Amino acid sequence: MSGNVPAIRFAGFTEPWEQRKLGELISIASGMAPSLFNQGDQPYIKVDDLNHSQRVLTSTQSTVARSSCMAKVPAGSTIFAKRGAAIMTNKTRVTGASAYMDTNMMALIPEGINGEFLYELIGTIGLSRIADTSTIPQINNKHIEPFIVTIPHSREEQQIVATFFTSLDNLITLHQRKHDQLATLKKSLLEKMFPKPGSDVPELRFAGFTEPWEQRKLGEFGIKTGPFGSTLHAEDYVAHGTPIVTTEHFKNGDLPSTGDGIPQVSDEDLARLGQYQLLRHDIVFSRVGSVDLNAEVKDAQVGWLFSGRVLRVRPDGSIDSTFMHYGLSTDQVRNSIIERAVGLTMASINTGILGDTAFVAPIDKAELVMVGSFFSHLDNLITLLQLMHDQLATLKKSLLEKMFV
């Protein structure tokens, strides 16, 4: 950008942006403590409410009675925490309706500036730049009022910029909402498309299949523990080699698609540890910690190693590995593993505990494949929505840098 002109600008605007003191553009309101909580129907904003909303705050966890002693913050104000570590998260929201506020909250009420533009402006600045962070982070009027900001002189340009970012935020929120809804749907379908405890028939089933499902145990398949510390040490890792996955690499139920950020071993160690290489369709479990989580090995991880903190299950031709992955992800199976885990400070399982883990599966291989494929496609869609959300969020961050001075 050059001077007080943003690098990217809407057509028709050519004047440089102007510098103003923030206190000239807004009025400041701080919260107050009510005498009674949850005794009325008036929204009462607390710091925690900033965690449960996107852009516009439309609901609060607490309510208070209408008060003549407390001032309400009008709709369209930019609100944030005014003290403590919450400042450093830079979480700001716009009030969707007039509301009362907690003593730890502050509101900037737009007067000489477009309200939505103000919200984006504060986001680009970052609250930590405004706050006193020498001891406990805090923001008060003396930090806000003299702070210099650069804004369009034209209220029309403010409005256009604000509308653009509001629409972008709405699109980001939409993708996040779709992602969350599909994740909730997946959880519900896992309960309905796998038999409940004591049953051998699922509540929901693909047409054409009627036979009861059968109980299987992981002990029917090859289970192996990864190499222990005496076999492989941290100092053996190299910058470029074969990745070795450990428990933190599949805490979300999926293995990484690349070896970036994963410990790697040399070709010499790979040859020595060949018995610990992963094959397509292997299932890995965490041996310690999140012992109920599993991940399926796909093409991207073939040939990788698994560490001593991991247990590997190797399905045979009688089972579909993708089905097994999702069957072992049901609450029924996960709770069973957790209940049988040992360890006083950290949950731990071994080949015996994992081998005794029971799950139910269709006798018909075609049904196995259909169920596994269905959940795999659903997961791919969930991943795609998250990717689109993240890409839009990255785009917004880049545009904020280029469309503000």
Side-chain angles (χ1 to χ4, degrees), residues 189-311:
L189 289 174
L190 279 172
E191 295 176 1
K192 291 178 168 57
M193 294 182 68
F194 287 84
K196 289 181 169 55
S199 175
D200 57 9
V201 177
E203 182 180 339
L204 285 177
R205 199 169 189 182
F206 288 104
F209 300 103
T210 57
E211 286 188 81
W213 288 20
E214 61 179 348
Q215 180 170 288
R216 306 287 299 270
K217 284 196 173 182
L218 288 181
E220 301 172 32
F221 312 98
I223 302 177
K224 190 173 184 65
T225 306
F228 287 98
S230 59
T231 308
L232 183 68
H233 304 88
E235 55 266 29
D236 296 325
Y237 296 151
V238 298
H240 302 287
T242 299
I244 178 166
V245 296
T246 190
T247 57
E248 61 264 26
H249 300 134
F250 55 92
K251 285 191 173 181
N252 62 352
D254 290 304
L255 288 164
S257 58
T258 70
D260 295 343
I262 298 177
Q264 302 185 27
V265 300
S266 66
D267 290 344
E268 181 181 351
D269 279 330
L270 175 63
R272 181 171 60 86
L273 301 170
Q275 61 179 311
Y276 302 107
Q277 277 192 288
L278 294 169
L279 300 181
R280 179 72 169 92
H281 307 308
D282 281 348
I283 303 289
V284 290
F285 273 88
S286 174
R287 190 175 61 80
V288 293
S290 302
V291 295
D292 57 319
L293 296 182
N294 81 91
E296 180 189 9
V297 175
K298 299 179 181 177
D299 291 336
Q301 301 92 30
V302 170
W304 290 12
L305 298 172
F306 59 99
S307 79
R309 295 169 66 87
V310 173
L311 290 166

Side-chain angles (χ1 to χ4, degrees), residues 329-349:
S329 301
T330 61
D331 287 344
Q332 177 182 347
V333 176
R334 292 176 62 179
N335 291 337
S336 167
I337 295 174
I338 291 172
E339 289 167 1
R340 291 178 292 112
V342 296
L344 296 177
T345 58
M346 181 180 292
S348 175
I349 58 174

